[in-house]
Amino acid sequence: MKIIKKNGSIQEFDLNKICTSIIRAAEDIGIYVNQSDINILTHDIQNKLQTLHRKETSSYEIFGLTLQILIENGYKDIALSYLNGLIQI
């Protein structure tokens, strides 16, 4: 799947980037997320993306989907940290 970035460029979808973002958001607030939890979260994200049946999507949609999955899986604090990472001024 291709991802349309904020600047309009197009990149291949990389699940590792989402993993890294989730881990960093957790570390920013002092929460440890084990590999099993990361695998569950990224599996959910990947499954939801596959249900879109598209060849491309936006980085904003990926971001929103990641927030949704974090919240649905009980990681509200990490979701807030993840969100704060986007809107830092």
Side-chain angles (χ1 to χ4, degrees), residues 22-74:
I22 292 170
I23 291 168
R24 286 186 182 156
E27 287 174 348
D28 285 349
I29 57 172
I31 294 176
Y32 171 75
V33 182
N34 65 43
Q35 190 60 48
S36 176
D37 292 336
I38 291 294
N39 291 344
I40 290 168
L41 293 167
T42 55
H43 183 271
D44 285 353
I45 291 165
Q46 199 165 27
N47 282 344
K48 293 261 183 168
L49 283 172
Q50 289 174 348
T51 64
L52 297 176
H53 301 291
R54 293 192 219 146
K55 292 183 180 184
E56 62 183 33
T57 188
S58 73
S59 58
Y60 293 108
E61 189 167 34
I62 300 289
F63 186 84
L65 181 60
T66 302
L67 279 175
Q68 176 187 351
I69 295 297
L70 285 167
I71 292 167
E72 286 176 358
N73 283 278

